[in-house]
Amino acid sequence: GYRGTKVLQQNRVDQDNEERIISLVTAERSLDLLSQDKETRARWEKYFKVMLLQRKEHHGFSDYERQRREAEKVKLLEIWQTDILPNWAYHWDYVQNQPRNLDKVRMQSATPPPKWLQRVRRSCSRLSDLLVRKCTCLRKCWMQVTGQKHAEALVNEAMFDDADQEIFDLTKNRSLLLALLWRKGIPDNLRGYVWPLAIGNQLEITPKLYEQLLTRVQTEEAENEVLANFTKEIQENLANASTNNKLFVEEDLSRVMKVIQMFCLYRPDVGYVRKMEYLVALLSRFLDPYETFTCFVNMTHSNHFLTYFRGDSVKIQKIVAFFNEYFKKEVPLVFEYFQGLMLKTEYFLYDWLLTLFTSSLDHTIAARVWDCFLLDGELFAIKTGLGILKYFEIELKMANVSGALGILKNTTDKINEESLFALIEGINIPYSLYARYLESQKIAFVDSRISRALEQPPVNQRSVEGASIQ
């Protein structure tokens, strides 16, 4: 109503606006909106009720989803161990350095299903949600009739049957199995084998080079003034990061610092950039020191990371422009709200892409994002950012600038893995479109080099007439 919140009372809103006002009230603040007319208010009210109901259901049944995810992981690991790894040559394209038929999988994911199938899926989803909502009640009834152990066994059996059906769907086409399985997340104990294969070693970082750089770090740490300054900054940032993020493990901090120090010697023109430690920390969770350094160097040289390390504002703005194009399309209400707050996309997208979401997501979810990033490239990072914005659409619409940045920069305990990846999967950005964007980046770089060459004055020729004959 027109006097329903403290903000409306303080501003003495006219009673004539009673039918146009809608307010969302939380424990901390309220969001008070004035619509154009009564019909618009009704649409807003219906929208927010649906969104809040979905969020309530999500939080209420996250334990069920977590158990279901664990059941699925067991089945996926079994396929990796019994089919994928023993038949790696069948599933892996050694020329393209990627899973076989990956392009076919990308085309399938980029092609939206027909509208009739979308309606069927929505109906099935609503039926599934209804069954999940009844899960707690059913469990209580079973416990009363058959006892707690038998009831829990029935629930677990249902979860495993559900996981079995999804796994069966994945294995229908064996030629696409690795690419499809990869997107479900690589098992933790296999990332140490798969990530180095996916990243590759085009820069040919050898064990001998690694040992040489490690020796230089140990001998020059005190004598090299530049390295000493970097080391001090790395130690301070690692100490701050380790207190705020579970990604950092105490026993790994010295190894993370050594890898960054070695990178500073390997690329003195780049040196240390704040938040590099997040990338190294996640790699070090699954790889040994040599592979951590090798993968870090190769990964940062083959993707967008160097653009951010160097602070290349032109390229960064092009990435932001591409992101904003789909931000406006996929989450229009939040985009317009951020425009009103003068909250620029760069304020949160920079951290997301620089750390590849390791600074904002829980490290278990971030690892799965990395799995898909290594499979699908930078486009998956763009889609992940859009997925996070869609996930927190309601909260962001109610937040001020500092509140919105707080939500987006630290989501470690607030986000559900399956819900996030379902949102990401629903975002359709054709790979061909992003490929054209990357190609335009290369063309622009070459054109700029040619333009600079043409602007150079011609080399002065020695005048024959002025030359003296000795």
Side-chain angles (χ1 to χ4, degrees):
Y2 73 105
R3 292 293 176 88
T5 67
K6 291 183 179 180
V7 174
L8 296 175
Q9 293 169 8
Q10 291 172 0
N11 289 275
R12 298 181 180 180
V13 178
D14 194 344
Q15 187 174 357
D16 294 340
N17 295 320
E18 169 75 25
E19 295 183 345
R20 296 168 54 201
I21 291 175
I22 181 171
S23 300
L24 294 175
V25 183
T26 68
E28 298 177 354
R29 57 163 292 184
S30 65
L31 174 66
D32 303 287
L33 304 172
L34 181 64
S35 59
Q36 295 178 349
D37 48 48
K38 185 168 61 174
E39 290 74 18
T40 304
R41 178 190 181 278
R43 289 197 298 270
W44 273 94
E45 183 178 2
K46 182 178 179 181
Y47 168 78
F48 280 121
K49 282 182 177 180
V50 171
M51 293 293 288
L52 289 170
L53 179 62
Q54 290 177 350
R55 186 56 54 85
K56 183 177 179 181
E57 291 172 356
H58 154 65
H59 286 296
F61 296 98
S62 57
D63 288 341
Y64 173 85
E65 291 182 5
R66 193 178 302 112
Q67 292 175 17
R68 181 183 172 281
R69 173 66 178 161
E70 291 303 318
E72 185 183 72
K73 283 182 178 180
V74 173
K75 298 294 183 181
L76 293 175
L77 178 59
E78 183 180 348
I79 297 177
W80 276 93
Q81 292 177 334
T82 59
D83 189 336
I84 300 297
L85 295 179
N87 303 290
W88 186 259
Y90 173 81
H91 295 289
W92 188 254
D93 185 338
Y94 287 90
V95 177
Q96 298 292 331
N97 197 42
Q98 63 184 28
R100 280 189 196 280
N101 299 317
L102 178 58
D103 292 337
K104 289 184 179 180
V105 176
R106 287 174 175 172
M107 288 177 62
Q108 289 179 3
S109 61
T111 304
K115 291 185 178 180
W116 67 267
L117 183 56
Q118 294 181 37
R119 289 195 294 269
V120 171
R121 286 179 176 176
R122 283 196 295 268
S123 300
C124 293
S125 178
R126 287 194 290 269
L127 177 59
S128 175
D129 290 341
L130 177 63
L131 294 174
V132 171
R133 286 198 294 272
K134 298 299 181 182
C135 178
T136 304
C137 298
L138 289 173
R139 186 176 296 182
K140 289 179 181 178
C141 294
W142 287 336
M143 287 179 182
Q144 293 174 0
V145 177
T146 62
Q148 181 175 357
K149 290 185 178 180
H150 183 58
E152 290 181 350
L154 289 173
V155 173
N156 291 333
E157 183 180 349
M159 285 190 297
F160 272 91
D161 288 344
D162 194 10
D164 283 341
Q165 182 59 45
E166 288 197 17
I167 302 303
F168 176 76
D169 292 339
L170 284 176
T171 56
K172 284 181 179 178
N173 191 337
R174 192 163 177 265
S175 65
L176 307 178
L177 180 59
L178 177 56
L180 294 171
L181 207 62
W182 194 308
R183 289 187 173 181
K184 302 292 286 185
I186 300 170
D188 290 347
N189 62 330
L190 298 182
R191 286 195 175 106
Y193 303 99
V194 179
W195 279 9
L197 290 173
I199 295 171
N201 188 10
Q202 291 186 348
L203 298 178
E204 298 183 357
I205 306 296
T206 62
K208 184 177 180 180
L209 175 60
Y210 171 83
E211 291 297 335
Q212 289 174 346
L213 290 170
L214 183 59
T215 302
R216 284 187 60 191
V217 167
Q218 295 168 347
T219 56
E220 298 179 19
E221 188 171 347
E223 301 172 1
N224 188 324
E225 185 177 351
V226 175
L227 183 60
N229 291 334
F230 281 144
T231 300
K232 183 179 179 181
E233 189 178 355
I234 296 166
Q235 287 175 332
E236 292 175 356
N237 289 333
L238 270 176
N240 293 332
S242 61
T243 58
N244 301 319
N245 196 308
K246 296 177 182 179
L247 167 66
F248 295 89
V249 182
E250 185 66 32
E251 52 268 26
D252 288 344
L253 294 182
S254 61
R255 184 169 65 174
V256 171
M257 187 170 69
K258 283 284 187 294
V259 170
I260 300 174
Q261 288 174 312
M262 291 162 63
F263 180 83
C264 293
L265 294 176
Y266 180 76
R267 286 299 304 264
D269 58 318
V270 177
Y272 168 67
V273 178
R274 185 172 173 269
K275 296 200 173 181
M276 265 184 186
E277 57 271 13
Y278 286 88
L279 298 173
V280 178
L282 189 61
L283 287 169
S284 67
R285 274 185 166 261
F286 304 105
L287 309 175
D288 63 39
Y290 164 68
E291 287 187 329
T292 297
F293 177 72
T294 302
C295 288
F296 175 68
V297 173
N298 280 277
M299 187 175 75
T300 53
H301 281 71
S302 60
N303 295 285
H304 63 273
F305 298 103
L306 280 182
T307 296
Y308 281 82
F309 290 168
R310 292 167 172 164
D312 190 333
S313 58
V314 175
K315 290 184 178 179
I316 290 173
Q317 284 303 316
K318 288 183 177 179
I319 295 173
V320 172
F322 186 88
F323 184 90
N324 277 338
E325 180 181 345
Y326 283 89
F327 183 7
K328 187 176 182 178
K329 178 181 178 182
E330 295 288 340
V331 205
L333 296 178
V334 176
F335 180 83
E336 292 174 6
Y337 183 63
F338 280 11
Q339 294 285 303
L341 292 177
M342 299 183 70
L343 199 167
K344 295 183 178 180
T345 305
E346 295 94 312
Y347 295 164
F348 51 88
L349 185 62
Y350 183 89
D351 275 1
W352 281 351
L353 296 184
L354 178 64
T355 66
L356 201 53
F357 301 97
T358 50
S359 65
S360 55
L361 292 175
D362 181 82
H363 66 272
T364 57
I365 302 177
R368 186 175 171 189
V369 170
W370 280 43
D371 292 340
C372 298
F373 174 82
L374 296 178
L375 186 68
D376 294 330
E378 296 169 19
L379 181 57
F380 191 83
I382 299 292
K383 292 171 68 174
T384 301
L386 295 171
I388 293 173
L389 289 166
K390 293 187 78 169
Y391 189 95
F392 291 106
E393 185 172 4
I394 292 179
E395 291 86 343
L396 293 172
K397 277 288 295 179
M398 297 180 64
N400 55 22
V401 173
S402 60
L405 290 176
I407 292 170
L408 296 175
K409 289 189 175 183
N410 184 14
T411 64
T412 51
D413 299 322
K414 307 171 188 174
I415 207 161
N416 175 270
E417 180 179 342
E418 292 306 312
S419 299
L420 173 63
F421 277 86
L423 289 171
I424 294 171
E425 187 178 352
I427 297 170
N428 181 27
I429 306 178
Y431 282 88
S432 57
L433 182 63
Y434 193 70
R436 287 198 296 271
Y437 160 75
L438 294 177
E439 188 65 26
S440 68
Q441 292 275 68
K442 294 178 182 178
I443 293 172
F445 173 75
V446 173
D447 288 349
S448 65
R449 295 293 294 267
I450 297 298
S451 298
R452 288 201 299 270
L454 292 173
E455 291 170 1
Q456 294 294 325
V459 178
N460 292 327
Q461 300 289 336
R462 287 186 300 173
S463 175
V464 176
E465 295 178 358
S468 58
I469 301 174
Q470 300 293 333

